[in-house]
Amino acid sequence: MSDALERLLGAVKKYWFMGALILIVLVALWYRMGVIKSFVVPTYGNTMYHVGIERETILTEHYPRYELSYGGGFPNFYVPAYRLLISSMSVATGIDPMVMSGLMTITIAIFVLLAMFAVAYRLSCNLYVALFAAFFFLMSPEITIFTIRPLPELLGLFMVPFTLYFVIRRDWPIAAIGAAITALTHQMTLATLAAVIGAYMAFQLARAGWDFYRKKGGYKEPLSTALWCLVPIMAACITYGLWQLYTLGTISLSGIAQVVYREGNVVDLPLFLRTGVFVLLFFAIGVAYIASSMGNSKKAEGEYSCTITIDAALLMFAWAAITLLLTFNDKLGIHIFMDRFFTFFVQIAIIIAGFGMYALLDAIGLDVLKVKP
């Protein structure tokens, strides 16, 4: 074997993981470039509605307190983070907000992918699980649809994993900041994040109670985690409450459009399958693998392993359970934006599917998984 070939094989062996991740990012980027190729950005949903507010903000240098669309003249109940992001980027670059909406759609979508990669790694302490999760990001029709739409939920799809990343790290100040920003991003995103952290808090309280009942000294750690979870929850709720009090003059939710008109579509089987058939298959494998492996790391000494802590497992189960519950909230008589909540379930399904792929390849004894890339 020539020296050049040996060097080439050595470089492939050393950099293949980074090359695979870059390839996934490039494929995700390529698929979303259609937003730029279009004469205008996609106008489904409320895209033009948001652009109108963004233009008004730029022209007047003041975020309008009252709506301009639908006849105008009534209080603006939309939270402002997404619109202010587009407006500020337009002012900073001189690019028209319509075009900037498309550019930021592509940019935020890639950040959603990278945030999910980072969360998958933090939950597994394994780069392969993170890479597989990034791969399944490409395989899900639902996550693709909602990451090419220039709407506030796109920013929410970044803020949820971003904030939960710092929850699992127990970096509570940054988690609180992330939760506060999320509260100003999108009402359904706020409900999802607060409910997931709340369920995680409940799981930790149950764990602490069980340890205390068995007279185990380890109850203090989950109890501390549960109490700290109140920090991002309160940050999110207080931030949103102050915004709604400012713009609507009340903290009551009964008057906002989503509640009054019961907006949203029912998630039936065809829509649920937009998660991705392969994503759902490996999601099921991943759930079983996480349940059977949490708290254990039985690899041979020196082998690169996947470590699933109890904290990580509880957060994933809280995320999946709450988003499923919100997805089918019509069964509870709530009937509010089931299809929007569904997208947040797809996020955790993709991450857990990464565990499923790892479990399958590990079960067949793939040697590459035993070496850290």
Side-chain angles (χ1 to χ4, degrees):
M1 185 180 296
S2 67
D3 291 342
L5 183 57
E6 286 184 358
R7 286 196 297 271
L8 177 61
L9 292 176
V12 170
K13 185 176 180 181
K14 184 176 181 180
Y15 297 112
W16 75 266
F17 180 90
M18 186 58 66
L21 180 58
I22 291 173
L23 179 61
I24 288 171
V25 171
L26 289 177
V27 171
L29 186 63
W30 168 77
Y31 191 80
R32 287 158 180 81
M33 290 305 292
V35 175
I36 299 300
K37 291 179 181 178
S38 302
F39 180 68
V40 294
V41 299
T43 56
Y44 39 69
N46 290 330
T47 306
M48 301 299 285
Y49 176 63
H50 294 297
V51 170
I53 296 290
E54 290 153 11
R55 289 192 188 282
E56 179 71 7
T57 302
I58 293 170
L59 290 173
T60 65
E61 299 181 2
H62 175 74
Y63 186 81
R65 188 173 177 181
Y66 291 92
E67 288 292 357
L68 306 177
S69 303
Y70 306 113
F74 55 93
N76 185 346
F77 67 86
Y78 263 100
V79 282
Y82 174 80
R83 292 164 165 182
L84 291 177
L85 173 64
I86 303 300
S87 300
S88 61
M89 292 301 296
S90 294
V91 170
T93 62
I95 298 175
D96 184 88
M98 176 62 84
V99 178
M100 181 56 66
S101 294
L103 292 173
M104 289 305 297
T105 295
I106 297 169
T107 303
I108 297 171
I110 299 304
F111 274 97
V112 172
L113 167 59
L114 295 176
M116 292 171 65
F117 173 88
V119 168
Y121 174 68
R122 173 57 61 176
L123 292 170
S124 64
C125 301
N126 187 281
L127 287 167
Y128 296 112
V129 172
L131 184 68
F132 298 149
F135 168 73
F136 282 118
F137 179 93
L138 300 180
M139 299 290 289
S140 171
E142 175 70 10
I143 205 72
T144 299
I145 290 168
F146 274 88
T147 54
I148 60 172
R149 301 183 67 177
L151 297 173
E153 186 170 353
L154 173 61
L155 183 57
L157 288 170
F158 169 73
M159 290 308 305
V160 166
F162 173 87
T163 306
L164 293 178
Y165 176 86
F166 291 102
V167 168
I168 198 64
R169 280 189 56 180
R170 300 181 186 176
D171 193 337
W172 303 110
I174 299 182
I177 294 171
I181 296 172
T182 302
L184 295 176
T185 298
H186 186 245
Q187 280 97 339
M188 274 57 71
T189 304
L190 164 61
T192 300
L193 180 66
V196 169
I197 298 176
Y200 177 61
M201 179 180 70
F203 287 166
Q204 291 286 11
L205 283 174
R207 177 186 170 197
W210 179 245
D211 285 347
F212 182 78
Y213 173 75
R214 293 191 300 164
K215 294 181 171 54
K216 293 182 65 175
Y219 74 90
K220 292 182 180 179
E221 183 178 340
L223 178 60
S224 174
T225 299
L227 294 176
W228 275 109
C229 283
L230 290 171
V231 173
I233 292 174
M234 291 177 64
C237 293
I238 291 172
T239 300
Y240 180 76
L242 290 173
W243 163 257
Q244 187 169 297
L245 187 63
Y246 164 75
T247 186
L248 297 181
T250 177
I251 60 173
S252 173
L253 299 175
S254 61
I256 67 174
Q258 294 96 328
V259 175
V260 173
Y261 300 110
R262 305 290 180 178
E263 298 179 4
N265 299 313
V266 172
V267 178
D268 55 11
L269 181 59
L271 179 52
F272 191 78
L273 290 177
R274 271 194 350 206
T275 305
V277 175
F278 286 105
V279 174
L280 288 172
L281 172 63
F282 283 98
F283 167 74
I285 297 171
V287 168
Y289 175 71
I290 292 165
S292 63
S293 303
M294 62 179 179
N296 299 321
S297 182
K298 298 181 179 179
K299 294 289 185 181
E301 185 177 352
E303 287 187 5
Y304 188 57
S305 64
C306 174
T307 303
I308 305 172
T309 66
I310 295 176
D311 287 335
L314 291 180
L315 182 63
M316 285 187 279
F317 289 147
W319 192 346
I322 286 297
T323 51
L324 271 177
L325 190 64
L326 291 172
T327 295
F328 296 104
N329 71 69
D330 56 303
K331 309 300 182 185
L332 305 175
I334 300 173
H335 210 285
I336 297 175
F337 272 144
M338 297 73 66
D339 51 334
R340 296 293 183 91
F341 287 122
F342 171 57
T343 311
F344 294 104
F345 165 74
V346 173
Q347 273 197 308
I348 185 57
I350 288 169
I351 290 171
I352 293 178
F355 284 87
M357 175 69 83
Y358 177 87
L360 180 64
L361 296 179
D362 184 53
I364 65 177
L366 193 66
D367 289 338
V368 69
L369 298 182
K370 300 176 182 179
V371 180
K372 184 175 182 178

